[in-house]
């Protein structure tokens, strides 16, 4: 499943093959246990997403909620998106060091971490990464990034 039309997280999870469902559910539990106050779980762009609600921060470049994290079942692997590790060099280096120290191989693209099995993911590192930034700090970092990026501003 590369893209899902599921309207709810439960519908998305129920569409998954059993082995992927178990992995996604385990990661989802870790994320929800560590999710800072103010972020909410929803479906966005065909993935389970953890976002800043538009009611809290509506002024985004694409008029969609700001995504802290997301989970997706792709054709050949599962993906975990952790947008806060891209907020700065130190945070990304912290994440790489913690993941490597876990003994797990990091298969990281530009915006995602790819894996095939739950055993490939250090759940404690994922929990720490999720808890590492507050909603307010995430919004502040987003705003700082927009002042340095070229392009149109939202209306």
């Amino acid at each position: 499943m590369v893209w899902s039309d599921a309207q709810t997280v439960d519908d998305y999870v129920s569409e998954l093959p059993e082995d992927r469902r178990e992995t996604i559910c385990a990661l989802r539990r870790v994320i929800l246990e560590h999710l800072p106050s103010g972020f909410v779980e929803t479906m966005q762009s065909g993935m389970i997403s953890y976002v800043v609600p538009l009611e809290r921060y509506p002024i985004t470049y694409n008029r969609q909620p700001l995504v802290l994290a997301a989970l997706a079942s792709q054709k050949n692997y599962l993906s975990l998106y952790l947008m806060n590790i891209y907020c700065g060099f130190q945070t990304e280096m912290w994440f790489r060091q913690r993941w490597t120290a876990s003994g797990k191989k990091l298969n990281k693209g530009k915006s995602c971490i790819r894996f095939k099995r739950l055993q490939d993911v250090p759940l404690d590192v994922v929990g720490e990464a999720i808890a590492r930034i507050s909603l307010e700090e995430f919004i502040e970092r987003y705003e700082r990034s927009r002042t340095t990026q070229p392009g149109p501003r939202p209306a």
Side-chain angles (χ1 to χ4, degrees):
M1 168 187 323
V2 173
W3 180 273
S4 174
D5 291 323
Q7 297 298 304
T8 69
V9 173
D10 289 339
D11 288 345
Y12 181 87
V13 169
S14 71
E15 293 174 350
L16 298 171
E18 188 171 340
D19 59 330
R20 288 185 173 214
R21 184 179 317 125
E22 290 174 11
T23 300
I24 291 289
C25 285
L27 277 161
R28 183 178 174 214
R29 275 191 300 276
V30 169
I31 291 170
L32 289 170
E33 287 171 7
H34 293 87
L35 192 65
S37 177
F39 290 100
V40 296
E41 181 183 63
T42 190
M43 289 297 298
Q44 184 173 320
S45 301
M47 300 181 280
I48 302 172
S49 300
Y50 302 89
V51 304
V52 177
L54 286 174
E55 298 81 31
R56 172 63 177 83
Y57 192 80
I59 310 167
T60 65
Y61 75 97
N62 62 359
R63 296 182 180 87
Q64 297 295 313
L66 297 176
V67 178
L68 170 68
L71 289 169
S73 178
Q74 306 294 352
K75 182 178 179 181
N76 296 315
Y77 53 84
L78 297 153
S79 294
L80 171 63
Y81 298 83
L82 295 172
M83 301 316 291
N84 64 326
I85 68 170
Y86 301 102
C87 289
F89 179 74
Q90 289 180 345
T91 302
E92 187 168 354
M93 291 312 300
W94 166 86
F95 182 78
R96 285 179 178 278
Q97 290 169 352
R98 289 285 292 125
W99 191 289
T100 301
S102 76
K104 311 283 184 183
K105 180 182 178 199
L106 179 59
N107 182 351
K108 184 175 170 300
K110 186 166 184 164
S111 66
C112 71
I113 298 147
R114 297 177 291 263
F115 56 96
K116 293 195 182 236
R117 305 168 304 140
L118 184 59
Q119 296 81 0
D120 299 335
V121 180
L123 296 176
D124 58 332
V125 176
V126 172
E128 287 177 50
I130 292 292
R132 195 169 171 90
I133 193 166
S134 70
L135 182 120
E136 292 75 18
E137 185 180 357
F138 190 68
I139 291 171
E140 287 172 15
R141 287 185 180 184
Y142 169 76
E143 289 175 339
R144 281 196 308 270
S145 77
R146 296 305 296 162
T147 62
T148 61
Q149 297 294 320
R153 297 283 185 243

